[in-house]
Amino acid sequence: LDDRTRGVRVVTNHRPAMSDEKERMVPADRSNWNAILKWSMAQQGDGTSSAPAREISEEDRRWLLDAMESGFIDEIKRMKDIIACISAGIEATHDAEEIDARVELMEELTDRVSGVDNGGDLHTLGGLEPLVRYVASSPHARLRAAAAEVLGTTVQNHPKAQEAALGCDAMGPLLRMAAGEGDDAPPTDAAEAESTTTAEGDASKGTKELVKARVKALFALSCLLRGCARAQEAFQLGDGFALLKNCLRVDHNRLRTKALHLARHLATLDMRFMAACVDAGYVLAAAASLAGSLPRVLVEPDAGTTDLSDAFTEEDIERGQVRESALRLMVDAARMVDFDAVPEAADHLRSAIVVNAINAVGKAYTRFGREEKETYRDEMQLCAQLAKMFE
């Protein structure tokens, strides 16, 4: 046993629960910063006095220095502590409190690695490998999603971190997670009837958490692929193009939007990837997504020409994001493809499914109110641009 003074901590061979570890890792008290702000404002007065600034007393100086010191956090030490906490029990099932604690720690880690320097430090500290293991084998969808978000944030715009993630074999687990593999085991303290586990491979009927996990996996893949030729090759070898097409078939707006963004990025890399995207049917899939996300003025005929802007819902916003993403993919494909090198692109772009989708959404625009037209201006311009290409 190792007893330490000041916050006595007893070290034993038994590893405490994550929730216990988390309690010992609460960041420095932010109330000190509020106290510093109030003290500073009190010293300044209202700015109208011509009296010279008074000397700070030794007592005030000590209080200020102590308050500032307690507010600083050693970023590297904090990241190492978080990694140590989340690295055990990755493949195990946990109770609800434990899952919440691990998710909260990974969310904090996401915030910390958003800085480029910290993103590079994560691999040096041994943080990437346990995150990949979470993505590959955690039975809880929330934990897989949280780990994927840390991975994506770490490698975003960071070539060294991208290479390090590939060195940890991150591509395969992320592809499988984006494809919908893996169940969502209930917390160990949940009643059996509350289980959200679904049949393996039945991604379209998966729980809300399973779909969220797929969205986070696509985010991580997008960050890993951007500007990294090695990751792009691994994505293609891992049948990533077919995976994206399957994501576009899932009736979930955020998943479709993420998949459309990634498909558009890949299509515009070079003509080899453009050909792979056309061959995978991305243009046709984008048109199907556009037709499947029509505005309410067409989906709900009773809406007539009423301005629905005051009743915008999250569903309206997400459907709009799907439409704009689909239109951007088709516009970029039409503008950038070499029709001699990829002749089937012309057939896809002029297919009935594309033309009908453009006509349907164009009809909806004519029934928009003033505020709706302002909200969806970019989308409407993209649609007009695409329609003009077919003239």
Side-chain angles (χ1 to χ4, degrees):
L1 300 183
D2 177 9
D3 296 335
R4 304 183 182 183
T5 59
R6 290 184 65 85
V8 176
R9 182 167 74 102
V10 179
V11 179
T12 69
N13 291 329
H14 170 68
R15 183 179 180 83
M18 181 65 58
S19 54
D20 296 332
E21 296 242 7
K22 176 177 162 292
E23 288 297 322
R24 291 203 299 271
M25 293 178 58
V26 176
D29 187 359
R30 294 182 181 177
S31 64
N32 283 336
W33 293 111
N34 293 330
I36 293 172
L37 177 61
K38 291 178 181 178
W39 179 86
S40 177
M41 294 178 66
Q43 310 312 307
Q44 297 178 38
D46 60 6
T48 61
S49 174
S50 59
R54 71 178 180 85
E55 287 273 342
I56 183 172
S57 69
E58 188 60 33
E59 181 181 357
D60 282 349
R61 186 190 304 277
R62 284 198 302 271
W63 175 86
L64 180 60
L65 291 174
D66 288 344
M68 291 178 65
E69 183 177 353
S70 67
F72 287 113
I73 297 175
D74 185 329
E75 291 283 338
I76 299 300
K77 181 179 184 302
R78 179 63 178 167
M79 289 168 62
K80 288 173 69 175
D81 288 343
I82 294 175
I83 293 167
C85 276
I86 65 175
S87 292
I90 293 175
E91 292 84 7
T93 54
H94 303 288
D95 60 29
E97 183 180 5
E98 184 80 0
I99 295 170
D100 288 343
R102 288 173 184 253
V103 168
E104 188 172 337
L105 286 174
M106 282 193 259
E107 287 175 347
E108 182 185 342
L109 192 57
T110 297
D111 290 339
R112 297 193 182 283
V113 300
S114 59
V116 174
D117 291 339
N118 286 351
D121 289 333
L122 187 64
H123 174 59
T124 304
L125 298 174
L128 286 179
E129 188 271 338
L131 292 172
V132 173
R133 285 174 56 207
Y134 268 103
V135 170
S137 55
S138 172
H140 300 293
R142 284 184 64 205
L143 294 180
R144 296 199 301 273
E149 185 167 18
V150 182
L151 272 175
T153 305
T154 299
V155 302
Q156 192 170 31
N157 302 318
H158 201 307
K160 289 185 178 179
Q162 289 173 324
E163 290 294 332
L166 291 172
C168 294
D169 296 323
M171 180 62 73
L174 285 173
L175 286 172
R176 291 191 293 274
M177 181 172 161
E181 290 188 16
D183 294 335
D184 185 19
T188 54
D189 55 349
E192 186 67 27
E194 296 175 351
S195 172
T196 57
T197 304
T198 59
E200 184 174 356
D202 194 10
S204 64
K205 297 181 180 178
T207 66
K208 186 177 181 180
E209 294 300 336
L210 285 172
V211 179
K212 283 183 179 179
R214 296 183 70 177
V215 171
K216 294 299 184 183
L218 286 178
F219 162 72
L221 283 170
S222 296
C223 296
L224 186 58
L225 290 167
R226 193 168 296 274
C228 183
R230 183 182 165 200
Q232 292 158 11
E233 294 294 334
F235 179 84
Q236 188 169 25
L237 290 173
D239 207 16
F241 289 99
L243 156 72
L244 276 187
K245 186 176 180 180
N246 289 334
C247 288
L248 291 171
R249 293 171 175 167
V250 179
D251 187 16
H252 188 277
N253 292 326
R254 290 187 62 198
L255 187 64
R256 281 181 174 174
T257 299
K258 285 288 185 184
L260 286 165
H261 280 314
L262 181 51
R264 174 181 171 232
H265 171 67
L266 292 169
T268 56
L269 285 174
D270 57 39
M271 205 49 54
R272 179 170 56 93
F273 277 92
M274 174 70 80
C277 289
V278 171
D279 184 61
Y282 286 0
V283 172
L284 301 177
S289 296
L290 179 63
S293 305
L294 295 176
R296 276 191 294 157
V297 290
L298 287 185
V299 177
E300 301 177 10
D302 292 341
T305 57
T306 302
D307 187 345
L308 298 175
S309 55
D310 291 338
F312 273 175
T313 65
E314 184 176 354
E315 175 76 7
D316 292 324
I317 295 171
E318 289 183 351
R319 290 169 74 90
Q321 291 171 341
V322 172
R323 294 194 303 272
E324 183 172 340
S325 300
L327 286 165
R328 288 191 183 280
L329 189 156
M330 289 187 285
V331 167
D332 282 352
R335 186 176 64 243
M336 301 178 67
V337 69
D338 181 341
F339 289 105
D340 291 330
V342 192
E344 60 269 34
D347 297 331
H348 289 194
L349 286 165
R350 293 185 176 276
S351 65
I353 186 173
V354 172
V355 173
N356 290 340
I358 294 172
N359 289 338
V361 76
K363 180 180 178 181
Y365 297 153
T366 64
R367 302 173 66 182
F368 274 177
R370 178 178 57 82
E371 291 190 25
E372 286 173 303
K373 289 180 179 178
E374 181 65 25
T375 299
Y376 297 117
R377 178 190 299 174
D378 290 347
E379 175 192 326
M380 294 171 65
Q381 290 176 345
L382 285 167
C383 189
Q385 184 178 352
L386 187 60
K388 190 174 182 179
M389 291 178 177
F390 295 150
E391 293 178 355

PDB file of all heavy atoms in Angstrom, residues 130-149:
ATOM      1  N   PRO A 130      -5.535   2.568 -28.021  1.00  0.00           N
ATOM      2  CA  PRO A 130      -6.770   2.213 -27.316  1.00  0.00           C
ATOM      3  C   PRO A 130      -8.023   2.752 -27.995  1.00  0.00           C
ATOM      4  O   PRO A 130      -9.078   2.106 -27.951  1.00  0.00           O
ATOM      5  CB  PRO A 130      -6.581   2.821 -25.919  1.00  0.00           C
ATOM      6  CG  PRO A 130      -5.482   3.811 -26.051  1.00  0.00           C
ATOM      7  CD  PRO A 130      -4.615   3.320 -27.151  1.00  0.00           C
ATOM      8  N   LEU A 131      -7.935   3.900 -28.647  1.00  0.00           N
ATOM      9  CA  LEU A 131      -9.092   4.444 -29.359  1.00  0.00           C
ATOM     10  C   LEU A 131      -9.486   3.531 -30.527  1.00  0.00           C
ATOM     11  O   LEU A 131     -10.676   3.277 -30.762  1.00  0.00           O
ATOM     12  CB  LEU A 131      -8.785   5.854 -29.865  1.00  0.00           C
ATOM     13  CG  LEU A 131      -8.631   6.930 -28.790  1.00  0.00           C
ATOM     14  CD1 LEU A 131      -8.142   8.234 -29.416  1.00  0.00           C
ATOM     15  CD2 LEU A 131      -9.934   7.155 -28.030  1.00  0.00           C
ATOM     16  N   VAL A 132      -8.498   3.044 -31.259  1.00  0.00           N
ATOM     17  CA  VAL A 132      -8.785   2.113 -32.355  1.00  0.00           C
ATOM     18  C   VAL A 132      -9.405   0.835 -31.810  1.00  0.00           C
ATOM     19  O   VAL A 132     -10.320   0.262 -32.403  1.00  0.00           O
ATOM     20  CB  VAL A 132      -7.499   1.807 -33.155  1.00  0.00           C
ATOM     21  CG1 VAL A 132      -7.752   0.711 -34.191  1.00  0.00           C
ATOM     22  CG2 VAL A 132      -6.992   3.075 -33.847  1.00  0.00           C
ATOM     23  N   ARG A 133      -8.937   0.387 -30.654  1.00  0.00           N
ATOM     24  CA  ARG A 133      -9.506  -0.819 -30.043  1.00  0.00           C
ATOM     25  C   ARG A 133     -10.966  -0.587 -29.643  1.00  0.00           C
ATOM     26  O   ARG A 133     -11.793  -1.491 -29.763  1.00  0.00           O
ATOM     27  CB  ARG A 133      -8.682  -1.227 -28.825  1.00  0.00           C
ATOM     28  CG  ARG A 133      -7.350  -1.884 -29.182  1.00  0.00           C
ATOM     29  CD  ARG A 133      -6.514  -2.128 -27.934  1.00  0.00           C
ATOM     30  NE  ARG A 133      -7.240  -2.931 -26.939  1.00  0.00           N
ATOM     31  CZ  ARG A 133      -7.012  -2.874 -25.627  1.00  0.00           C
ATOM     32  NH1 ARG A 133      -6.067  -2.049 -25.164  1.00  0.00           N
ATOM     33  NH2 ARG A 133      -7.701  -3.625 -24.804  1.00  0.00           N
ATOM     34  N   TYR A 134     -11.282   0.605 -29.157  1.00  0.00           N
ATOM     35  CA  TYR A 134     -12.682   0.917 -28.851  1.00  0.00           C
ATOM     36  C   TYR A 134     -13.533   0.799 -30.118  1.00  0.00           C
ATOM     37  O   TYR A 134     -14.604   0.191 -30.114  1.00  0.00           O
ATOM     38  CB  TYR A 134     -12.810   2.336 -28.296  1.00  0.00           C
ATOM     39  CG  TYR A 134     -12.735   2.436 -26.796  1.00  0.00           C
ATOM     40  CD1 TYR A 134     -11.581   2.882 -26.171  1.00  0.00           C
ATOM     41  CD2 TYR A 134     -13.825   2.097 -25.995  1.00  0.00           C
ATOM     42  CE1 TYR A 134     -11.500   2.988 -24.791  1.00  0.00           C
ATOM     43  CE2 TYR A 134     -13.761   2.198 -24.614  1.00  0.00           C
ATOM     44  CZ  TYR A 134     -12.593   2.643 -24.016  1.00  0.00           C
ATOM     45  OH  TYR A 134     -12.529   2.742 -22.645  1.00  0.00           O
ATOM     46  N   VAL A 135     -13.063   1.427 -31.202  1.00  0.00           N
ATOM     47  CA  VAL A 135     -13.808   1.390 -32.459  1.00  0.00           C
ATOM     48  C   VAL A 135     -13.995  -0.043 -32.928  1.00  0.00           C
ATOM     49  O   VAL A 135     -15.062  -0.426 -33.424  1.00  0.00           O
ATOM     50  CB  VAL A 135     -13.072   2.217 -33.539  1.00  0.00           C
ATOM     51  CG1 VAL A 135     -13.690   2.004 -34.909  1.00  0.00           C
ATOM     52  CG2 VAL A 135     -13.099   3.703 -33.172  1.00  0.00           C
ATOM     53  N   ALA A 136     -12.971  -0.856 -32.751  1.00  0.00           N
ATOM     54  CA  ALA A 136     -13.002  -2.230 -33.261  1.00  0.00           C
ATOM     55  C   ALA A 136     -13.807  -3.183 -32.399  1.00  0.00           C
ATOM     56  O   ALA A 136     -14.452  -4.098 -32.923  1.00  0.00           O
ATOM     57  CB  ALA A 136     -11.570  -2.750 -33.399  1.00  0.00           C
ATOM     58  N   SER A 137     -13.815  -2.968 -31.073  1.00  0.00           N
ATOM     59  CA  SER A 137     -14.337  -4.054 -30.248  1.00  0.00           C
ATOM     60  C   SER A 137     -15.157  -3.664 -29.033  1.00  0.00           C
ATOM     61  O   SER A 137     -15.582  -4.553 -28.284  1.00  0.00           O
ATOM     62  CB  SER A 137     -13.167  -4.936 -29.773  1.00  0.00           C
ATOM     63  OG  SER A 137     -12.189  -4.158 -29.109  1.00  0.00           O
ATOM     64  N   SER A 138     -15.403  -2.386 -28.796  1.00  0.00           N
ATOM     65  CA  SER A 138     -16.260  -2.058 -27.656  1.00  0.00           C
ATOM     66  C   SER A 138     -17.682  -2.522 -27.940  1.00  0.00           C
ATOM     67  O   SER A 138     -18.211  -2.300 -29.032  1.00  0.00           O
ATOM     68  CB  SER A 138     -16.262  -0.548 -27.388  1.00  0.00           C
ATOM     69  OG  SER A 138     -17.238  -0.230 -26.398  1.00  0.00           O
ATOM     70  N   PRO A 139     -18.347  -3.149 -26.976  1.00  0.00           N
ATOM     71  CA  PRO A 139     -19.720  -3.599 -27.202  1.00  0.00           C
ATOM     72  C   PRO A 139     -20.756  -2.474 -27.113  1.00  0.00           C
ATOM     73  O   PRO A 139     -21.922  -2.695 -27.418  1.00  0.00           O
ATOM     74  CB  PRO A 139     -19.937  -4.626 -26.088  1.00  0.00           C
ATOM     75  CG  PRO A 139     -19.030  -4.172 -24.985  1.00  0.00           C
ATOM     76  CD  PRO A 139     -17.832  -3.589 -25.654  1.00  0.00           C
ATOM     77  N   HIS A 140     -20.321  -1.283 -26.698  1.00  0.00           N
ATOM     78  CA  HIS A 140     -21.243  -0.165 -26.515  1.00  0.00           C
ATOM     79  C   HIS A 140     -21.097   0.848 -27.652  1.00  0.00           C
ATOM     80  O   HIS A 140     -20.005   1.380 -27.890  1.00  0.00           O
ATOM     81  CB  HIS A 140     -20.987   0.526 -25.175  1.00  0.00           C
ATOM     82  CG  HIS A 140     -21.155  -0.369 -23.990  1.00  0.00           C
ATOM     83  ND1 HIS A 140     -22.367  -0.899 -23.616  1.00  0.00           N
ATOM     84  CD2 HIS A 140     -20.239  -0.848 -23.102  1.00  0.00           C
ATOM     85  CE1 HIS A 140     -22.213  -1.644 -22.540  1.00  0.00           C
ATOM     86  NE2 HIS A 140     -20.928  -1.649 -22.211  1.00  0.00           N
ATOM     87  N   ALA A 141     -22.192   1.118 -28.357  1.00  0.00           N
ATOM     88  CA  ALA A 141     -22.141   2.025 -29.496  1.00  0.00           C
ATOM     89  C   ALA A 141     -21.712   3.431 -29.093  1.00  0.00           C
ATOM     90  O   ALA A 141     -21.006   4.116 -29.832  1.00  0.00           O
ATOM     91  CB  ALA A 141     -23.513   2.075 -30.185  1.00  0.00           C
ATOM     92  N   ARG A 142     -22.133   3.888 -27.918  1.00  0.00           N
ATOM     93  CA  ARG A 142     -21.746   5.232 -27.475  1.00  0.00           C
ATOM     94  C   ARG A 142     -20.240   5.357 -27.316  1.00  0.00           C
ATOM     95  O   ARG A 142     -19.655   6.399 -27.642  1.00  0.00           O
ATOM     96  CB  ARG A 142     -22.425   5.570 -26.150  1.00  0.00           C
ATOM     97  CG  ARG A 142     -23.900   5.922 -26.254  1.00  0.00           C
ATOM     98  CD  ARG A 142     -24.439   6.337 -24.900  1.00  0.00           C
ATOM     99  NE  ARG A 142     -23.799   7.570 -24.431  1.00  0.00           N
ATOM    100  CZ  ARG A 142     -23.695   7.914 -23.151  1.00  0.00           C
ATOM    101  NH1 ARG A 142     -24.148   7.098 -22.199  1.00  0.00           N
ATOM    102  NH2 ARG A 142     -23.131   9.057 -22.806  1.00  0.00           N
ATOM    103  N   LEU A 143     -19.604   4.313 -26.811  1.00  0.00           N
ATOM    104  CA  LEU A 143     -18.157   4.350 -26.629  1.00  0.00           C
ATOM    105  C   LEU A 143     -17.436   4.281 -27.973  1.00  0.00           C
ATOM    106  O   LEU A 143     -16.416   4.953 -28.177  1.00  0.00           O
ATOM    107  CB  LEU A 143     -17.702   3.213 -25.711  1.00  0.00           C
ATOM    108  CG  LEU A 143     -18.198   3.306 -24.256  1.00  0.00           C
ATOM    109  CD1 LEU A 143     -17.685   2.115 -23.443  1.00  0.00           C
ATOM    110  CD2 LEU A 143     -17.743   4.613 -23.618  1.00  0.00           C
ATOM    111  N   ARG A 144     -17.946   3.484 -28.885  1.00  0.00           N
ATOM    112  CA  ARG A 144     -17.343   3.436 -30.218  1.00  0.00           C
ATOM    113  C   ARG A 144     -17.461   4.802 -30.903  1.00  0.00           C
ATOM    114  O   ARG A 144     -16.521   5.279 -31.546  1.00  0.00           O
ATOM    115  CB  ARG A 144     -18.018   2.361 -31.070  1.00  0.00           C
ATOM    116  CG  ARG A 144     -17.830   0.945 -30.560  1.00  0.00           C
ATOM    117  CD  ARG A 144     -18.105  -0.110 -31.630  1.00  0.00           C
ATOM    118  NE  ARG A 144     -19.457  -0.047 -32.162  1.00  0.00           N
ATOM    119  CZ  ARG A 144     -20.516  -0.662 -31.641  1.00  0.00           C
ATOM    120  NH1 ARG A 144     -20.372  -1.367 -30.510  1.00  0.00           N
ATOM    121  NH2 ARG A 144     -21.705  -0.582 -32.205  1.00  0.00           N
ATOM    122  N   ALA A 145     -18.626   5.437 -30.760  1.00  0.00           N
ATOM    123  CA  ALA A 145     -18.833   6.747 -31.373  1.00  0.00           C
ATOM    124  C   ALA A 145     -17.908   7.797 -30.774  1.00  0.00           C
ATOM    125  O   ALA A 145     -17.302   8.610 -31.490  1.00  0.00           O
ATOM    126  CB  ALA A 145     -20.295   7.178 -31.208  1.00  0.00           C
ATOM    127  N   ALA A 146     -17.778   7.792 -29.445  1.00  0.00           N
ATOM    128  CA  ALA A 146     -16.913   8.771 -28.778  1.00  0.00           C
ATOM    129  C   ALA A 146     -15.458   8.580 -29.190  1.00  0.00           C
ATOM    130  O   ALA A 146     -14.725   9.561 -29.426  1.00  0.00           O
ATOM    131  CB  ALA A 146     -17.058   8.643 -27.261  1.00  0.00           C
ATOM    132  N   ALA A 147     -15.020   7.324 -29.296  1.00  0.00           N
ATOM    133  CA  ALA A 147     -13.639   7.051 -29.706  1.00  0.00           C
ATOM    134  C   ALA A 147     -13.400   7.495 -31.145  1.00  0.00           C
ATOM    135  O   ALA A 147     -12.340   8.058 -31.472  1.00  0.00           O
ATOM    136  CB  ALA A 147     -13.339   5.559 -29.558  1.00  0.00           C
ATOM    137  N   ALA A 148     -14.372   7.265 -32.026  1.00  0.00           N
ATOM    138  CA  ALA A 148     -14.226   7.686 -33.424  1.00  0.00           C
ATOM    139  C   ALA A 148     -14.125   9.195 -33.525  1.00  0.00           C
ATOM    140  O   ALA A 148     -13.374   9.732 -34.359  1.00  0.00           O
ATOM    141  CB  ALA A 148     -15.406   7.177 -34.249  1.00  0.00           C
ATOM    142  N   GLU A 149     -14.864   9.903 -32.680  1.00  0.00           N
ATOM    143  CA  GLU A 149     -14.787  11.371 -32.723  1.00  0.00           C
ATOM    144  C   GLU A 149     -13.415  11.865 -32.278  1.00  0.00           C
ATOM    145  O   GLU A 149     -12.868  12.798 -32.858  1.00  0.00           O
ATOM    146  CB  GLU A 149     -15.873  11.989 -31.851  1.00  0.00           C
ATOM    147  CG  GLU A 149     -15.913  13.504 -31.953  1.00  0.00           C
ATOM    148  CD  GLU A 149     -17.156  14.108 -31.358  1.00  0.00           C
ATOM    149  OE1 GLU A 149     -17.838  13.434 -30.563  1.00  0.00           O
ATOM    150  OE2 GLU A 149     -17.453  15.277 -31.673  1.00  0.00           O
TER     151      GLU A 149
END
